[in-house]
């Protein structure tokens, strides 16, 4: 389906609701803490693995008073903040499965989770900085994979990466990154890419594309609040959602790091004499609108990786040859 907007809190008021499956819609906004008080809930599924566009954001609910919960799927959203210390506190299931991977959760994994029975909890692809080694003593966790792969069954440690951000077979080991490349400091990384915050990325755009000579560069490089910079639109007041710099005298080659603005939804660079490249555009998994009309674009090599795009404008350019 294509339901949009916040998840209705009325669902949380249904006292006998056991299964709530709303995955792969287009819900956005925060998840109400009301969903943490559902006595009969067994399954809550709201992952977004395929569809682009605005996703669920805000803090992770605690689900602290959901004793019958057996499965919680919230992966591939944009949940932020830390994992609550009371997360899953009342769960009585001996086969609990939780996926909160590939969000923007940060900080430590709360040790209060150690009191739970056997759990399969997938947390890779976040910004986790602390993980207590005592979790690795629970040999039955992660479907028994802890017995075979120790802590790597949960997440690859900082300075390492894996194709899944953790090891779940002999074919998916955690591999050490080259320390000279300033690798990611987070648990559960799927690459060794160095960490750039959004301000760093926008500063690269400014410097690489002649920002001093832009028609409008209000607030750029003058303060730390990037959401006040001309042409930048943020979600929740701190995360870049749109870059609209059309007809603004940008020159040169926009940096490929732009595609590592993970919540980037809209990119307008039209009517600027730039040398745009599609390299790494696949990293922009939420990019749905791209305007490159009247930029002098001459080839589209790599555009096939932009699988989330819905609107693409490339008119009045120099593209030629067979498609």
């Amino acid at each position: 389906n294509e339901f949009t907007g916040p998840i209705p809190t009325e669902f949380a008021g249904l006292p006998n609701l056991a299964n709530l499956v709303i995955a792969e819609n287009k819900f956005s906004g925060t998840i109400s803490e009301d969903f943490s008080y559902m006595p009969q809930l067994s399954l809550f599924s709201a992952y977004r693995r395929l569809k682009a566009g605005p996703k669920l954001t805000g803090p992770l609910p605690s689900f602290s008073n959901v004793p019958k919960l057996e499965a919680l799927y919230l992966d591939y959203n944009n949940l932020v903040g830390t994992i609550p210390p009371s997360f899953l506190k009342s769960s009585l299931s001996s086969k609990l499965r939780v996926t909160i991977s590939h969000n923007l959760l940060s900080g430590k994994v709360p040790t209060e989770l150690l009191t739970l029975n056997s759990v399969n909890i997938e947390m890779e692809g976040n910004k986790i900085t602390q993980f207590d080694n005592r979790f690795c003593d629970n040999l039955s966790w992660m479907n028994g994979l802890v017995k075979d792969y120790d802590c790597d069954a949960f997440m690859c440690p900082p300075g390492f990466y894996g194709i899944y951000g953790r090891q779940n077979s002999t074919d998916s080991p955690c591999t050490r990154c080259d320390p000279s490349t300033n690798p990611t400091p987070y648990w559960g990384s799927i690459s060794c890419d160095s960490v750039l915050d959004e301000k760093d990325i926008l500063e690269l755009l400014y410097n690489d594309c002649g920002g001093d000579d832009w028609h409008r560069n209000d607030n750029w490089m003058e303060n730390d609040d990037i959401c006040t910079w001309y042409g930048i639109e943020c979600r929740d007041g701190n995360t870049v959602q749109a870059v609209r710099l059309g007809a603004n005298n940008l020159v040169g080659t926009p940096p490929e790091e732009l595609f590592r603005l993970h919540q980037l939804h809209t990119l307008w660079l039209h009517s600027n004499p730039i040398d745009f490249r599609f390299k790494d555009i696949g990293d922009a998994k939420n990019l749905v609108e791209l305007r490159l009309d009247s930029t002098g674009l001459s080839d589209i090599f790599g555009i096939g990786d932009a699988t989330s795009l819905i609107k693409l404008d490339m008119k009045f350019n120099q593209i030629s040859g067979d498609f």
Side-chain angles (χ1 to χ4, degrees):
N1 290 303
E2 299 281 326
F3 292 118
T4 60
I7 300 173
T9 56
E10 288 83 356
F11 289 147
L14 300 174
N16 297 311
L17 187 65
N19 294 345
L20 179 57
V21 181
I22 51 176
E24 295 302 351
N25 279 282
K26 292 189 175 181
F27 287 113
S28 59
T30 60
I31 307 173
S32 173
E33 184 64 16
D34 290 351
F35 288 100
S36 296
Y37 300 87
M38 299 185 68
Q40 302 300 322
L41 188 67
S42 173
L43 167 63
F44 187 103
S45 179
Y47 61 80
R48 276 284 294 280
R49 300 168 192 167
L50 300 176
K51 292 182 178 178
K55 298 183 176 184
L56 296 170
T57 186
L60 173 67
S62 67
F63 293 95
S64 57
N65 289 281
V66 190
K68 294 187 177 181
L69 189 67
E70 293 190 350
L72 174 64
Y73 303 117
L74 292 171
D75 44 306
Y76 288 93
N77 281 290
N78 288 321
L79 301 176
V80 298
T82 58
I83 301 173
S86 59
F87 188 52
L88 308 173
K89 176 176 74 172
S90 68
S91 176
L92 301 175
S93 175
S94 61
K95 52 181 179 179
L96 183 60
R97 180 175 178 84
V98 177
T99 60
I100 52 175
S101 52
H102 300 286
N103 279 280
L104 298 170
L105 299 169
S106 58
K108 70 176 184 178
V109 177
T111 54
E112 287 82 355
L113 289 174
L114 287 166
T115 62
L116 296 175
N117 295 317
S118 181
V119 180
N120 184 348
I121 180 167
E122 298 177 13
M123 302 176 286
E124 68 277 3
N126 284 290
K127 297 183 177 182
I128 303 295
T129 53
Q130 296 182 51
F131 183 68
D132 196 301
N133 283 338
R134 286 178 292 172
F135 283 102
C136 312
D137 296 332
N138 296 313
L139 301 185
S140 64
W141 284 38
M142 304 303 288
N143 290 330
L145 292 175
V146 177
K147 182 178 180 180
D148 295 324
Y149 307 122
D150 200 51
C151 288
D152 289 356
F154 288 99
M155 294 177 287
C156 295
F160 288 72
Y161 79 101
I163 57 174
Y164 304 117
R166 59 189 177 90
Q167 185 168 8
N168 59 14
S169 74
T170 55
D171 297 325
S172 59
C174 295
T175 304
R176 183 183 294 275
C177 300
D178 181 349
S180 67
T181 62
N182 186 31
T184 173
Y186 304 123
W187 287 82
S189 296
I190 60 173
S191 77
C192 288
D193 289 343
S194 58
V195 176
L196 289 175
D197 66 24
E198 295 194 330
K199 183 171 179 286
D200 294 331
I201 293 171
L202 293 179
E203 288 177 348
L204 280 175
L205 175 64
Y206 185 92
N207 290 324
D208 290 356
C209 292
D212 287 344
D213 297 318
W214 292 354
H215 297 316
R216 296 282 304 273
N217 57 11
D218 313 26
N219 295 325
W220 280 75
M221 316 297 275
E222 294 180 2
N223 62 52
D224 291 334
D225 186 359
I226 58 175
C227 300
T228 68
W229 294 6
Y230 174 79
I232 303 302
E233 177 184 317
C234 293
R235 174 181 294 279
D236 299 325
N238 56 23
T239 304
V240 176
Q241 172 179 277
V243 176
R244 294 187 174 94
L245 292 171
N248 201 41
N249 198 39
L250 277 70
V251 298
T253 303
E256 62 195 48
E257 287 83 0
L258 265 182
F259 302 130
R260 286 159 62 184
L261 295 170
H262 293 300
Q263 294 195 45
L264 185 65
H265 180 275
T266 300
L267 179 59
W268 289 3
L269 297 175
H270 60 282
S271 304
N272 289 298
I274 56 175
D275 181 19
F276 187 86
R277 309 289 175 86
F278 292 98
K279 184 178 182 296
D280 290 339
I281 196 171
D283 291 341
K285 299 186 185 302
N286 294 309
L287 183 63
V288 298
E289 183 174 355
L290 177 61
R291 287 196 59 182
L292 295 172
D293 44 306
S294 302
T295 57
L297 186 70
S298 59
D299 75 73
I300 58 171
F301 180 76
I303 186 63
D305 294 329
T307 55
S308 61
L309 276 181
I310 296 174
K311 299 179 181 179
L312 175 63
D313 191 337
M314 298 189 299
K315 63 180 179 287
F316 304 125
N317 278 302
Q318 300 176 24
I319 302 169
S320 61
D322 297 331
F323 280 87

